[in-house]
CSV table of all heavy atoms in Angstrom, one decimal:
chain,number,residue,atom,x,y,z
L,395,GLY,N,-8.0,16.5,-30.1
L,395,GLY,CA,-8.6,17.2,-29.1
L,395,GLY,C,-9.1,16.4,-27.9
L,395,GLY,O,-8.8,15.2,-27.8
L,396,GLU,N,-10.0,17.0,-27.2
L,396,GLU,CA,-10.7,16.2,-25.9
L,396,GLU,C,-11.9,15.5,-26.3
L,396,GLU,O,-12.7,16.0,-27.0
L,396,GLU,CB,-10.9,17.2,-24.8
L,396,GLU,CG,-11.4,16.5,-23.5
L,396,GLU,CD,-11.6,17.6,-22.4
L,396,GLU,OE1,-10.7,18.1,-22.1
L,396,GLU,OE2,-12.7,17.6,-22.0
L,397,ASN,N,-11.9,14.3,-26.0
L,397,ASN,CA,-13.1,13.4,-26.2
L,397,ASN,C,-13.5,12.7,-24.9
L,397,ASN,O,-12.8,12.4,-24.1
L,397,ASN,CB,-12.7,12.4,-27.2
L,397,ASN,CG,-12.4,12.9,-28.7
L,397,ASN,OD1,-13.3,13.4,-29.3
L,397,ASN,ND2,-11.2,12.9,-29.1
L,398,ASN,N,-14.8,12.4,-24.9
L,398,ASN,CA,-15.3,11.6,-23.8
L,398,ASN,C,-15.7,10.2,-24.2
L,398,ASN,O,-16.5,9.9,-25.1
L,398,ASN,CB,-16.8,12.2,-23.3
L,398,ASN,CG,-16.5,13.5,-22.5
L,398,ASN,OD1,-15.5,13.7,-21.8
L,398,ASN,ND2,-17.4,14.5,-22.7
L,399,TRP,N,-14.9,9.3,-23.6
L,399,TRP,CA,-15.1,7.9,-24.0
L,399,TRP,C,-16.0,7.2,-23.1
L,399,TRP,O,-15.9,7.3,-21.8
L,399,TRP,CB,-13.7,7.2,-23.9
L,399,TRP,CG,-12.8,7.4,-25.1
L,399,TRP,CD1,-12.8,8.3,-26.0
L,399,TRP,CD2,-11.5,6.7,-25.3
L,399,TRP,NE1,-11.7,8.3,-26.7
L,399,TRP,CE2,-11.0,7.3,-26.4
L,399,TRP,CE3,-10.9,5.6,-24.7
L,399,TRP,CZ2,-9.8,6.9,-27.0
L,399,TRP,CZ3,-9.7,5.2,-25.2
L,399,TRP,CH2,-9.2,5.8,-26.3
L,400,PRO,N,-17.0,6.5,-23.6
L,400,PRO,CA,-17.8,5.6,-22.6
L,400,PRO,C,-17.0,4.6,-22.0
L,400,PRO,O,-16.1,4.0,-22.7
L,400,PRO,CB,-18.9,5.1,-23.6
L,400,PRO,CG,-18.9,6.0,-24.8
L,400,PRO,CD,-17.5,6.5,-24.9
L,401,VAL,N,-17.2,4.3,-20.8
L,401,VAL,CA,-16.6,3.0,-20.3
L,401,VAL,C,-17.6,2.0,-19.8
L,401,VAL,O,-18.6,2.4,-19.3
L,401,VAL,CB,-15.8,3.5,-18.9
L,401,VAL,CG1,-15.1,2.3,-18.3
L,401,VAL,CG2,-14.7,4.6,-19.3
L,402,ILE,N,-17.4,0.8,-20.2
L,402,ILE,CA,-18.4,-0.4,-20.2
L,402,ILE,C,-17.7,-1.6,-19.5
L,402,ILE,O,-16.5,-1.8,-19.5
L,402,ILE,CB,-18.9,-0.7,-21.5
L,402,ILE,CG1,-17.8,-1.2,-22.4
L,402,ILE,CG2,-19.8,0.4,-22.0
L,402,ILE,CD1,-18.4,-1.7,-23.7
L,403,ASN,N,-18.5,-2.4,-18.9
L,403,ASN,CA,-18.0,-3.7,-18.3
L,403,ASN,C,-17.9,-4.6,-19.6
L,403,ASN,O,-18.7,-4.7,-20.5
L,403,ASN,CB,-19.1,-4.3,-17.4
L,403,ASN,CG,-18.9,-3.8,-16.0
L,403,ASN,OD1,-17.9,-3.5,-15.6
L,403,ASN,ND2,-20.0,-3.5,-15.3
L,404,VAL,N,-16.9,-5.4,-19.5
L,404,VAL,CA,-16.6,-6.5,-20.6
L,404,VAL,C,-16.1,-7.8,-20.0
L,404,VAL,O,-15.2,-7.7,-19.1
L,404,VAL,CB,-15.4,-5.9,-21.7
L,404,VAL,CG1,-15.2,-7.0,-22.6
L,404,VAL,CG2,-16.0,-4.7,-22.3
L,405,SER,N,-16.6,-8.9,-20.4
L,405,SER,CA,-16.1,-10.1,-20.0
L,405,SER,C,-15.4,-10.7,-21.2
L,405,SER,O,-16.0,-10.8,-22.3
L,405,SER,CB,-17.2,-11.1,-19.5
L,405,SER,OG,-17.8,-10.7,-18.3
L,406,LEU,N,-14.2,-11.2,-21.0
L,406,LEU,CA,-13.5,-11.9,-22.1
L,406,LEU,C,-12.7,-13.1,-21.6
L,406,LEU,O,-12.5,-13.3,-20.4
L,406,LEU,CB,-12.5,-10.8,-22.7
L,406,LEU,CG,-11.4,-10.2,-21.8
L,406,LEU,CD1,-10.1,-10.9,-21.9
L,406,LEU,CD2,-11.2,-8.7,-22.2
L,407,ARG,N,-12.3,-13.8,-22.6
L,407,ARG,CA,-11.4,-15.0,-22.3
L,407,ARG,C,-10.0,-14.8,-23.1
L,407,ARG,O,-10.1,-14.6,-24.3
L,407,ARG,CB,-12.0,-16.3,-22.7
L,407,ARG,CG,-13.1,-16.7,-21.9
L,407,ARG,CD,-13.8,-18.1,-22.3
L,407,ARG,NE,-14.9,-18.5,-21.5
L,407,ARG,CZ,-15.0,-18.9,-20.3
L,407,ARG,NH1,-13.8,-19.2,-19.7
L,407,ARG,NH2,-16.0,-19.4,-19.7
L,408,LEU,N,-9.0,-14.9,-22.3
L,408,LEU,CA,-7.6,-14.6,-22.9
L,408,LEU,C,-6.8,-15.8,-22.4
L,408,LEU,O,-6.6,-16.1,-21.3
L,408,LEU,CB,-7.0,-13.3,-22.4
L,408,LEU,CG,-5.6,-13.1,-22.7
L,408,LEU,CD1,-5.3,-13.0,-24.3
L,408,LEU,CD2,-5.0,-11.8,-22.2
L,409,ALA,N,-6.3,-16.5,-23.5
L,409,ALA,CA,-5.5,-17.8,-23.2
L,409,ALA,C,-6.2,-18.8,-22.2
L,409,ALA,O,-5.5,-19.2,-21.4
L,409,ALA,CB,-4.1,-17.4,-22.7
L,410,GLY,N,-7.5,-18.9,-22.3
L,410,GLY,CA,-8.2,-19.8,-21.4
L,410,GLY,C,-8.6,-19.2,-20.1
L,410,GLY,O,-9.3,-19.8,-19.4
L,411,LYS,N,-8.2,-18.0,-19.8
L,411,LYS,CA,-8.4,-17.3,-18.6
L,411,LYS,C,-9.6,-16.4,-18.7
L,411,LYS,O,-9.5,-15.5,-19.6
L,411,LYS,CB,-7.2,-16.6,-18.1
L,411,LYS,CG,-7.5,-16.0,-16.6
L,411,LYS,CD,-6.1,-15.3,-16.1
L,411,LYS,CE,-6.3,-14.7,-14.8
L,411,LYS,NZ,-5.1,-14.0,-14.4
L,412,ARG,N,-10.5,-16.4,-17.8
L,412,ARG,CA,-11.7,-15.5,-18.0
L,412,ARG,C,-11.3,-14.2,-17.2
L,412,ARG,O,-10.9,-14.2,-16.1
L,412,ARG,CB,-12.9,-16.1,-17.5
L,412,ARG,CG,-14.2,-15.2,-17.5
L,412,ARG,CD,-15.5,-15.9,-17.4
L,412,ARG,NE,-16.6,-15.1,-17.4
L,412,ARG,CZ,-17.9,-15.4,-17.3
L,412,ARG,NH1,-18.2,-16.7,-17.1
L,412,ARG,NH2,-18.9,-14.5,-17.4
Side-chain angles (χ1 to χ4, degrees):
E396 183 177 300
N397 294 293
N398 285 326
W399 284 12
V401 177
I402 59 175
N403 275 319
V404 178
S405 292
L406 61 93
R407 292 187 184 276
L408 172 60
K411 182 179 179 180
R412 185 167 176 177

